[in-house]
Amino acid sequence: VQLQASGGGLVQAGGSLRLSCAASGSIFKINVMAWYRQAPGKQRDLVASISAFDRTYYGDSFKGRFTISRGNAKNTVYLQMNSLKPEDTAVYFCYVNGKQTPVALTTDYWGQGTLVTVSS
């Protein structure tokens, strides 16, 4: 399973960006799709997640500003980021938890990350 993230870039404070992540390859079931982020020198933190039943979760810092959603094909996840702040500057990683076959173990998959830079 490969995860291809895109949509990062440079934006001014108060602006918006939309991140996309597509899961490709053989995957039987996706349990959760999520976005994490990691700022320089800091740990990787959960931004938002969405379950197979479209139940969403947001970290406290992101409620009301960020929206996670899935595409119609359910193997694509988006993160709409509004009202961006300089402290949102980080590498954003796409994450999927799922299994490739009905009998396979549930596995975590990570994308390569996309850089978001918010200027003041």
Side-chain angles (χ1 to χ4, degrees), residues 12-112:
Q12 288 188 331
S16 298
L17 281 176
R18 188 189 194 212
L19 305 183
S20 301
C21 176
S24 62
S26 176
I27 189 160
F28 169 72
K29 181 181 179 182
I30 293 176
N31 296 316
V32 176
M33 302 185 83
W35 290 95
Y36 285 74
R37 76 179 190 185
Q38 187 168 19
K42 296 188 176 182
Q43 67 181 20
R44 189 173 296 187
D45 293 324
L46 175 64
V47 175
S49 66
I50 185 165
S51 74
F53 302 101
D54 290 333
R55 178 168 292 182
T56 58
Y57 169 85
Y58 295 92
D60 289 340
S61 301
F62 316 108
K63 292 177 181 177
R65 297 192 300 129
F66 292 6
T67 303
I68 191 169
S69 61
R70 298 207 300 177
N72 290 335
K74 302 299 183 182
N75 65 338
T76 302
V77 63
Y78 305 100
L79 185 68
Q80 177 66 42
M81 304 185 294
N82 299 327
S83 303
L84 283 163
K85 307 173 183 179
E87 51 264 42
D88 293 320
T89 295
V91 177
Y92 285 71
F93 295 90
C94 177
Y95 162 89
V96 166
N97 175 273
K99 52 171 59 179
Q100 291 189 280
T101 71
V103 297
L105 295 176
T106 298
T107 304
D108 296 329
Y109 302 95
W110 291 93
Q112 84 284 5

